Amino acid sequence: MRSESAALRSLPASTEVPAPPSRADRLRALGSESFDLLVIGGGVTGAGAARDAALRGLKVALVEREDFASGTSSRSSRLIHGGLRYLEHGHLGLVFESSIERRRLLHLAPHLVRPLAFIWPVYEGARVPRWKLNAGLMLYDALSLFRNVKAYQRLSLKQLVEAEPGIRSEGLKGGARYYDAATDDARLTLANALGASEAGAVVLNHASVKRLVLEDGKVKGAVVVDHLTGLEHTVHARAVVNATGPWSDEIRRLDSSQQERTGPAVRGSKGVHIAVPRSRLNIGDALTLLSPVDGRVMFILPADAFTLIGTTETATRAHPAEVRASEADVAYLLSSANAFFPEANLTREDMVSAWAGIRPLAASGYHGNSDAGSASREHSIDVSPSGVLAISGGKLTTFRVMARDVVNAVERHLSRPHKKPVTHEQPLPGGDILKLDAEFAAAKQEVGDAATGEHLVRAYGSRWHAVWALTRESPALAEPLVEGLPYRRAEAAWGVSHEMVQTLADLLIRRLKVAFETRDQGRAAAVRAAEVMAPLLGWDTAETERQLAAYAVDAQRIFGVDPSDA
């Protein structure tokens, strides 16, 4: 057993940023209070729903079996986008909705969601010729009500080569530049979890549902196991939402009213990404490409000192907790990238990391034997005979709409008067920034390093001052976690005190991108992080060693590459 140390209370108090209640207090509340709503699942949809519900005045509990965004929500393409490729399948409503949400999130979380320009090159004989691309982009801008960051631009052959000098010019006809947005998917999820907590919700990671509590055939809560102590707590709730994404059918199996259900409600597809050093594939804008291997849409994306290549879309038999990239996935992505940037000549040795996630597509979104690429990304909500509300499908960009819709359904289920949601206008935690460039300049001046200053603003928004303030009390916290990357030890302390970090993986894989950006997937950084976290979390020497071993297992589970497809 472990407990949070009194050392947490010795950290400098921030008058600006409220810290969540202690884990002990949250566990106590979970087992002793009655709730209007229990949300199962701490991905972006579940966290968003908990925040929306709490802001509407519902008494809310949220439990997550691992950590916030530990599944699909931390393994995406990190894009907030209208979904240009969905036009090809006629999903105009989804594109319209996504375009609105893209614009909204750029304002509600300017530190986490930023504009990103994309270039789409067109080659001779391409499945999408220039006329079709231009028509699609014109419709794309129209569906955003011509309020995108900028209007799309046609690019001549000369203009495109000037923009991306390394791109293969053979057969190149020209292309276009259009605009979407990039995000930090895990921190976007965390911002919703923190926002839920600050609105009064009891939010707990590393706690899973063991069984549902049913009375007279109706769900009245759940028995929750705290993974850090092994203790069980019965949570009493008038409504339960299943927002577990690829794990949705596991929760359904706990519901005796659904024992006769045939077929899965969620059909996941595996998406793989790899990261290579920016120096090996130095692109200007992001690129949207049609893979020469199978013709499907893929992206090459700038990510600070790295370039991301993704994604695949294949069926998998792997459990959501065990899904990984395979050597075939890596070869596909490298081959596709090399086809467009032959001089880069990327090899397996260039890869810094590879990861996979499962898209939790609603089974109803598939039509006949259609593949996942053409399956609808629309979300659906259903209510079991016992009253469990389950939300499935959707995409990262539309998480706020999904959360709104499921909370609307909860209100109807509880026969509560509808209360207008405010998430469409209330900034996410840290999002109350007037001028981003001014924050970057201030952070650079105070921190003394432009890269670290920008990272702090991007990660914490207006709250970066409070994070860096820790270094004034303890100058050692200003030291880097990894040489050459912008992450500092102060972030480990802040993660424990203000972001519900309980394990090294919470910090190095989800609060920060250390594991994605180091060839050892953060194992060396884990030793440095543990030096900060151990006294704050009450780890003795034996527990610290156990935590380091557990981190190595987590890193291998997520970033290991399988020899063949599972």
Side-chain angles (χ1 to χ4, degrees):
M1 292 178 61
R2 300 183 293 126
S3 63
E4 290 165 308
S5 168
L8 269 180
R9 295 190 291 273
S10 70
L11 285 174
S14 168
T15 57
E16 301 174 19
V17 184
S22 71
R23 186 176 179 88
D25 286 345
R26 284 178 279 141
L27 281 167
R28 192 176 302 113
L30 202 65
S32 62
E33 299 179 8
S34 295
F35 298 89
D36 295 314
L37 173 62
L38 169 64
V39 179
I40 307 172
V44 71
T45 304
R51 176 175 180 254
D52 187 322
L55 287 170
R56 293 196 213 185
L58 275 72
K59 191 169 179 58
V60 179
L62 166 69
V63 295
E64 159 57 42
R65 78 161 83 191
E66 289 189 37
D67 182 34
F68 312 114
S70 58
T72 305
S73 296
S74 62
R75 308 187 203 178
S76 73
S77 296
R78 307 178 192 171
L79 296 178
I80 299 295
H81 63 123
L84 178 59
R85 68 189 181 96
Y86 304 146
L87 292 178
E88 193 171 7
H89 302 296
H91 301 151
L92 301 187
L94 178 61
V95 175
F96 178 70
E97 181 178 75
S98 300
S99 298
I100 292 174
E101 288 302 298
R102 176 188 60 206
R103 184 171 184 272
R104 182 169 282 134
L105 289 171
L106 284 165
H107 291 280
L108 298 179
H111 58 308
L112 294 173
V113 181
R114 60 188 186 275
L116 183 62
F118 284 76
I119 286 178
W120 186 317
V122 177
Y123 288 84
E124 187 175 358
R127 174 170 61 81
V128 180
R130 290 185 73 186
W131 71 265
K132 188 174 183 179
L133 175 62
N134 288 323
L137 288 171
M138 188 177 297
L139 177 58
Y140 198 52
D141 281 353
L143 287 169
S144 69
L145 304 178
F146 300 102
R147 298 171 77 182
N148 199 349
V149 178
K150 290 183 182 179
Y152 91 96
Q153 306 147 5
R154 301 185 185 192
L155 296 178
S156 67
L157 171 60
K158 180 181 178 182
Q159 289 172 320
L160 201 151
V161 172
E162 285 176 350
E164 296 295 342
I167 199 165
R168 174 170 60 87
S169 59
E170 181 184 355
L172 184 61
K173 309 296 288 184
R177 179 184 282 115
Y178 69 97
Y179 294 85
D180 267 316
T183 191
D184 181 328
D185 50 6
R187 292 202 66 87
L188 185 64
T189 302
L190 176 69
N192 279 276
L194 293 175
S197 176
E198 291 169 16
V202 176
V203 177
L204 200 71
N205 52 353
H206 301 286
S208 64
V209 168
K210 181 178 181 180
R211 66 178 179 271
L212 298 176
V213 174
L214 299 173
E215 296 178 9
D216 299 324
K218 298 299 180 181
V219 67
K220 297 297 181 181
V223 175
V224 173
V225 180
D226 172 23
H227 290 187
L228 304 189
T229 63
L231 298 178
E232 295 184 4
H233 304 266
T234 299
V235 182
H236 299 281
R238 297 170 59 214
V240 174
V241 164
N242 175 4
T244 56
W247 286 267
S248 291
D249 286 308
E250 292 187 14
I251 299 299
R252 283 181 168 90
R253 284 192 286 272
L254 298 178
D255 186 350
S256 59
S257 72
Q258 291 195 301
Q259 294 302 310
E260 302 302 318
R261 185 184 186 109
T262 58
V266 173
R267 286 178 58 183
S269 71
K270 183 175 76 166
V272 173
H273 297 81
I274 62 174
V276 300
R278 190 78 172 270
S279 59
R280 290 291 293 114
L281 185 54
N282 190 11
I283 56 174
D285 295 331
L287 288 116
T288 304
L289 305 166
L290 298 178
S291 171
V293 177
D294 56 8
R296 72 177 307 276
V297 175
M298 60 174 291
F299 302 112
I300 299 181
L301 307 165
D304 299 320
F306 301 88
T307 298
L308 308 186
I309 306 169
T311 177
T312 63
E313 190 147 28
T314 55
T316 180
R317 298 186 301 275
H319 187 275
E322 299 295 333
V323 65
R324 284 178 293 277
S326 70
E327 292 293 350
D329 295 323
V330 171
Y332 168 88
L333 294 173
L334 289 173
S335 174
S336 297
N338 281 332
F340 293 100
F341 291 90
E343 292 186 7
N345 193 26
L346 297 173
T347 67
R348 177 70 166 74
E349 287 66 39
D350 290 312
M351 188 181 77
V352 175
S353 61
W355 62 95
I358 294 182
R359 302 175 187 87
L361 305 179
S364 59
Y366 286 78
H367 304 286
N369 294 319
S370 64
D371 62 15
S374 59
S376 173
R377 266 59 174 176
E378 301 280 358
H379 62 275
S380 64
I381 300 170
D382 66 73
V383 185
S384 77
S386 72
V388 176
L389 294 92
I391 182 162
S392 55
K395 56 201 283 279
L396 177 64
T397 303
T398 58
F399 80 86
R400 195 201 63 82
V401 173
M402 296 168 67
R404 179 200 68 196
D405 289 353
V406 79
V407 177
N408 287 346
V410 168
E411 287 181 328
R412 293 191 295 271
H413 181 73
L414 295 178
S415 300
R416 286 176 62 105
H418 174 63
K419 189 171 183 179
K420 184 179 178 181
V422 297
T423 57
H424 67 290
E425 60 186 9
Q426 183 162 324
L428 283 161
D432 51 338
I433 294 176
L434 295 178
K435 294 183 179 180
L436 203 58
D437 287 342
E439 292 290 340
F440 290 148
K444 177 183 177 181
Q445 182 175 2
E446 184 168 339
V447 174
D449 176 73
T452 298
E454 181 171 344
H455 156 67
L456 290 173
V457 174
R458 290 284 185 206
Y460 306 97
S462 60
R463 301 180 173 192
W464 72 266
H465 302 272
V467 180
W468 191 249
L470 299 179
T471 67
R472 290 195 287 273
E473 299 286 333
S474 178
L477 292 179
E479 296 174 5
L481 283 171
V482 182
E483 291 296 336
L485 293 178
Y487 311 115
R488 302 299 180 102
R489 294 187 184 215
E491 296 178 83
W494 184 263
V496 173
S497 65
H498 282 75
E499 295 186 344
M500 295 180 272
V501 163
Q502 294 293 324
T503 72
L504 291 163
D506 293 350
L507 177 73
L508 300 175
I509 299 176
R510 291 172 288 274
R511 305 301 181 274
L512 309 175
K513 294 296 185 188
V514 172
F516 293 82
E517 298 176 356
T518 52
R519 291 186 181 275
D520 69 348
Q521 273 62 69
R523 289 173 176 83
V527 177
R528 302 184 190 101
E531 292 173 358
V532 178
M533 293 169 59
L536 300 177
L537 289 169
W539 298 347
D540 58 18
T541 301
E543 179 62 20
T544 299
E545 290 301 318
R546 194 189 75 78
Q547 291 290 332
L548 288 167
Y551 179 78
V553 171
D554 272 342
Q556 177 60 30
R557 175 175 60 86
I558 295 171
F559 298 99
V561 179
D562 290 331
S564 59
D565 287 307

